Each structure stands twice: as structure tokens, then as C-alpha cells.
Amino acid sequence: MLEPAYQVDVVVVGAGVAGLSAAHRLTSAGVTTAVLEAAPFVGGRMSTEKVDGFRLDRIGQLLFTSYPQLGHSPGLDALVLRPFAPGVLLHSDGRHHRAGGPAGGGGARSALHAVRAFASAPRPPAALPKVRARVRALRPVPPAAAYGAPDALAPEERFAAELPSDAGPPPERAVPGDRAQPFGIGTPLRLRAALSRIATTPVERLLARPELPAGQALAARGLPARTVDGFLRPLLAALLCDPDLTTSSRCADLALRAFASGRLCLPEGGADVLPELLAASLPAGTVHTGVRVTSVATNAVTTAEHGVIRCRAVLVATGARSAAELLPGLRVPDFHPVTVVHHTTDEPPATGGHLLLDSERGGPVAHTAVISAVDPSRAPAGRALVSSTVLGPDRADVDDAVRRHLARLYAVPTARWETLAVHHTAEAVPAMRPPHDLRRPVRLLAGLYVCGDHRDTSTLQGALHSARRAAAAILGDLGTGRPMHTSDPVPTTSRAAAA
């Protein structure tokens, strides 16, 4: 229980991943920190509902193994990531076409063989691999290997080499009804080259490109319209939660770069596992839930339950709208609404661990997957969990519309599937329309800071990176060795200031 006179160096408002990650960096530098969360649980939008043994993410935003901050953020050593099968499945003309998967490399492969390998990506392994956040499998796969260059180790071979010894070999498994991409031989070659180029392009160069809405930029990239409309548009809509592709082309390029250099993945056990790991590994007594902050200053916060808590600095790490309520004048972005519909069946579709997209956009579902084939811990034994994401405003008939669309996408009857939950989040993902500043200031003034995905990119990577920037700014100010506020007493002990 907090006391009104409780004193700490830094108060962090909000126990989402950004706030918790910043708290880790501050406490590891010796800065006393209190994290205050209004909700009865940590995690913010990264939350998971438990229903009859199922673990159902409320938003289910897709992650990548290539996110640098997953490997660099303290407190995530025990995080286990479950990768999807390489590439994605595209539904077109009543068939499934595998696309975007890395081509197996090898010195003896011909160029034509490499193109065909790209067009028919590696099959998902029967034994689902686990990837721990500290394992080097999180490193981006070198583009030479990822796209079939001579003498390159195939990424699935590298991936298997880095698994625990009990993971077993990754046998291939056919997906019924799948075939090569319907784009022709020349198009996979150009697509392969485009993905390879973007995987090797430094981030600074991507951010220096002219900025347009992503949909407009795609038309100028030199790829055939069928490739853009049939693959890149549905892929980017899924990755950005933006069905109209109004997102900044620079942010879209970063998403494609992550796709080209890593694997789509999920946290084992649900999205809430990640913030819960961060909270559990902080010093005891750091996180306080059920504490609502009503106002902030540079040297204190006022709470509804515990009065005024004095401190040397305040970091507001809430969502964008709540942050603007505490910090008047802070910009509130538009948001992309997301609905996730969870079904269960005892006869799962035969798509394995692939993410399935509709290249024809013939229904409300932006992407869907048999999540229990990716992460078996999310469903009880003998049951399959199928989770489907709908982008855009809420609709009353969403379950019926999704069920009809899934019947076409999976080519199986869905009338008897059981609906476990329908989660609609109106402000799921902050929009990143151009012009978008990927490095919005996190230091408002000495003693007052802000972080979250609305200060960076609207991804887990962006949230963690903004936390790193905010913690560095706080530690830099605290490390001056002098009071940050004239009303503060001169400290009698030195403050640790390592970044």
C-alpha cells in the first residue's frame, strides 16, 4: 500500500510494456521507481482473456523475431516466442498460395530453382519450435541466406540449429490445396529482389525516402499490379492494422523490412505474458495496480487513492489519449480499430501454422490463423483455436460475417464452430499517417517525460524503443548531480545514472 508521503526518484504512470520496460532500465541503474497503474492488472492493450482453458488475445498484434528491442530489453530473458510457419498463405481463386517465405539456399541451386523455392516456401515443422528472447535466433537472418544466395545456410536450417536439442528435426508437411504463387516466374524474382533489398537497406536510408501514404507508394515500386494487390496490400494491411494503407510509407517499409529479415511470431501463452514477465522481474513493491493518477507535475503526481506522491521525475507511459489528458497539449493521433473473433473446433483446418490472408479481400477478415497450431498452450488438448482479425469499425453482424468468410478461406464448414469471444478495441493501434515523426520527443522538460508506441512506431518494437529513449533521458537529467527542481532538497547520496 502506498503512503501519501511515499518518496521515490521516478514515478511511472502506466504499467503497459513501455512503462514496465522503462522501469526496468531505471531500477537497474539504481533509481528508485514506482509504477502506478489504474487497471487491476498490468499490460494495457497487451491483454489476454482466459476462457475454459483457452487464451484469447484482445488485439493480437503480430510480432517479429527480428524486433531488436525484444533481445535488448531487460526483463524478457524468460520470454518464449512461437513462430508462425515461414511466409504467409494467400487465398486466391479458391486455392492457397504460399508467398514471402525465405528460399532455401545452397551452392548447387540454380537461379530458377531459387525462384521456385521462394514461390513455394518451406513447410511448417510438425514439432513446433520455441524461441527464447535471448537466443540468437532473434537476430535478423542475413539476407544472403534469406533469399537463396549461393553457399548461404538456409534460414530454416539456421533456425533449427539454434533450437533446444529436444525440438527434433523439422519434417516437411504439405498443406492441402496449396501451390506456387500465381504471379508467374518473373514476378517472384522481382519480389525476391525487392524483399532482399529492403532487408539489407539501413533503417536510416528507409527513413530518408520520400514519404507518401503506403498505398500510393506501392504503386511506384515497379512491381506488377497483381503482386501489389494480391500480396503486398493484404500483407501490409495485416502488419499495420490499416486496411486502407494510409500509413506512412516509411513505417510500411520498416514493417516489410521486419517481415523480410525475421519470422512472424506470438508470445507463448498469450500477449499478456510479455508485460507480466516485465512486471514480475522488477524489484518487489515497484508496481502498484488499482492506483489512478489524476494529475502530474515535474516533481509529484496526484492520485485518487493515495494523495500526492513526491518524486524527482514523472514518466507518463499510458496510451495516447490518457497521456494527453494528463499532459494537455500532447497530440492525440487517430486510431485503427481492431476486432478479434475467436472460434474453436475439434476439426481444425489443414493450414498448419501459417498466417492466412485473403488476396481478393472478399470479406471482413484481414488475417486468420489456427493459433493453437502455432502455440498449443493457447487451447486445451483436443481443441483448435482459430483467431481472426477484422480491421475497421465495429459491426453488429461481425461473428456471422466472419464465419461465412472463414468457410471460404479455409474451405471447410464453419457453422458448427463455437464462438469463444469477440473483442473489439476502438483505439487498438495509433495511426501513423504521413507526415509521421518516428521519434517524437520523450522529454517534455526536465522532470516530465512521456513514452509509448504513440511516440515511435505503433508496434511492440516502437513501445520498447520509446521506453529506452525515455529512460535514457531521465537518467541523463538525474545524472547531472544537481537538483532538477528548485523545491527539491539537495540529495545527500549520489544517484546512479548509467544509461
Side-chain angles (χ1 to χ4, degrees):
M1 177 70 70
L2 287 172
E3 298 297 333
Y6 188 79
Q7 299 294 299
V8 292
D9 288 325
V10 179
V11 171
V12 177
V13 183
V17 292
L20 294 169
S21 180
H24 264 280
R25 295 183 180 277
L26 295 171
T27 57
S28 64
V31 175
T32 59
T33 304
V35 180
L36 310 183
E37 170 57 52
F41 52 84
V42 302
R45 284 169 286 151
M46 289 196 74
S47 62
T48 304
E49 183 182 10
K50 283 78 171 179
V51 177
D52 297 332
F54 293 92
R55 296 173 177 268
L56 313 175
D57 287 351
R58 292 186 177 274
I59 297 179
Q61 204 169 358
L62 299 168
L63 311 183
F64 286 103
T65 59
S66 52
Y67 281 162
Q69 291 303 318
L70 278 178
H72 298 158
S73 297
L76 295 179
D77 294 355
L79 178 66
V80 176
L81 300 176
R82 288 284 193 172
F84 285 84
V88 295
L89 281 184
L90 295 170
H91 179 269
S92 178
D93 298 324
R95 304 291 295 273
H96 291 156
H97 311 273
R98 286 182 292 178
R109 293 185 187 270
S110 66
L112 180 59
H113 196 169
V115 172
R116 287 174 177 165
F118 177 81
S120 183
R123 271 69 170 173
L128 293 170
K130 295 183 180 181
V131 185
R132 291 197 177 272
R134 294 189 66 186
V135 176
R136 291 300 181 184
L138 275 179
R139 293 182 302 184
V141 177
Y147 299 105
D151 301 319
L153 181 61
E156 65 271 21
E157 294 167 356
R158 281 191 55 182
F159 191 78
E162 292 165 334
L163 296 176
S165 59
D166 61 353
E172 293 194 346
R173 176 185 172 190
V175 177
D178 78 322
R179 61 179 182 180
Q181 296 181 59
F183 306 132
I185 291 297
T187 300
L189 181 59
R190 278 183 284 179
L191 182 59
R192 178 177 75 120
L195 290 174
S196 181
R197 281 195 304 272
I198 202 165
T200 59
T201 301
V203 170
E204 293 75 14
R205 285 186 59 190
L206 293 180
L207 300 184
R209 288 179 172 179
E211 189 177 24
L212 294 169
Q216 294 180 24
L218 283 178
R221 293 294 168 87
L223 288 168
R226 192 172 184 184
T227 303
V228 171
D229 293 334
F231 173 53
L232 292 176
R233 281 185 179 274
L235 175 65
L236 283 173
L239 301 183
L240 302 170
C241 296
D242 178 8
D244 300 320
L245 294 189
T246 59
T247 296
S248 162
S249 55
R250 295 172 181 173
C251 299
D253 283 343
L254 291 178
L256 284 176
R257 189 179 191 274
F259 177 78
S261 58
R263 291 275 290 277
L264 288 164
C265 63
L266 299 170
E268 184 179 65
D272 65 350
V273 167
L274 195 150
E276 287 177 356
L277 282 173
L278 288 171
S281 52
L282 283 168
T286 299
V287 179
H288 306 268
T289 57
V291 179
R292 184 169 60 90
V293 173
T294 57
S295 66
V296 299
T298 57
N299 59 355
V301 301
T302 301
T303 70
E305 296 82 5
H306 304 284
V308 175
I309 301 171
R310 297 186 67 251
C311 55
R312 301 180 69 208
V314 175
L315 171 59
V316 177
T318 64
R321 191 172 301 280
S322 296
E325 292 173 356
L326 293 172
L327 302 168
L330 203 68
R331 173 183 175 272
V332 179
D334 293 331
F335 295 88
H336 295 304
V338 172
T339 303
V340 183
V341 183
H342 300 280
H343 292 106
T344 183
T345 175
D346 55 4
E347 297 180 0
T351 51
H354 282 93
L355 186 73
L356 176 59
L357 312 177
D358 185 2
S359 65
E360 299 170 331
R361 286 173 283 178
V365 176
H367 60 88
T368 181
V370 183
I371 294 297
S372 53
V374 180
D375 177 8
S377 71
R378 296 188 181 218
R383 301 294 294 176
L385 171 62
V386 180
S387 298
S388 309
T389 296
V390 176
L391 305 178
D394 195 13
R395 47 188 290 182
D397 65 338
V398 64
D399 187 24
D400 290 338
V402 165
R403 195 182 293 266
R404 290 192 298 269
H405 196 188
L406 293 180
R408 295 197 301 273
L409 292 177
Y410 287 115
V412 297
T414 59
R416 300 184 65 181
W417 286 12
E418 178 186 351
T419 302
L420 294 169
V422 177
H423 295 140
H424 177 74
T425 307
E427 298 186 352
V429 180
M432 300 182 288
R433 298 189 179 98
H436 180 74
D437 185 358
L438 280 82
R439 297 293 181 268
R440 295 188 184 279
V442 293
R443 183 185 187 271
L444 305 181
L445 67 159
L448 196 57
Y449 312 82
V450 60
C451 69
D453 58 1
H454 53 96
R455 312 306 294 173
D456 222 280
T457 59
S458 304
T459 62
L460 175 63
Q461 165 69 15
L464 293 174
H465 189 261
S466 75
R468 180 177 181 176
R469 292 196 293 130
I474 294 171
L475 292 173
D477 286 344
L478 291 178
T480 60
R482 57 182 175 78
M484 294 174 60
H485 319 291
T486 55
S487 60
D488 285 347
V490 176
T492 57
T493 59
S494 60
R495 304 283 185 181

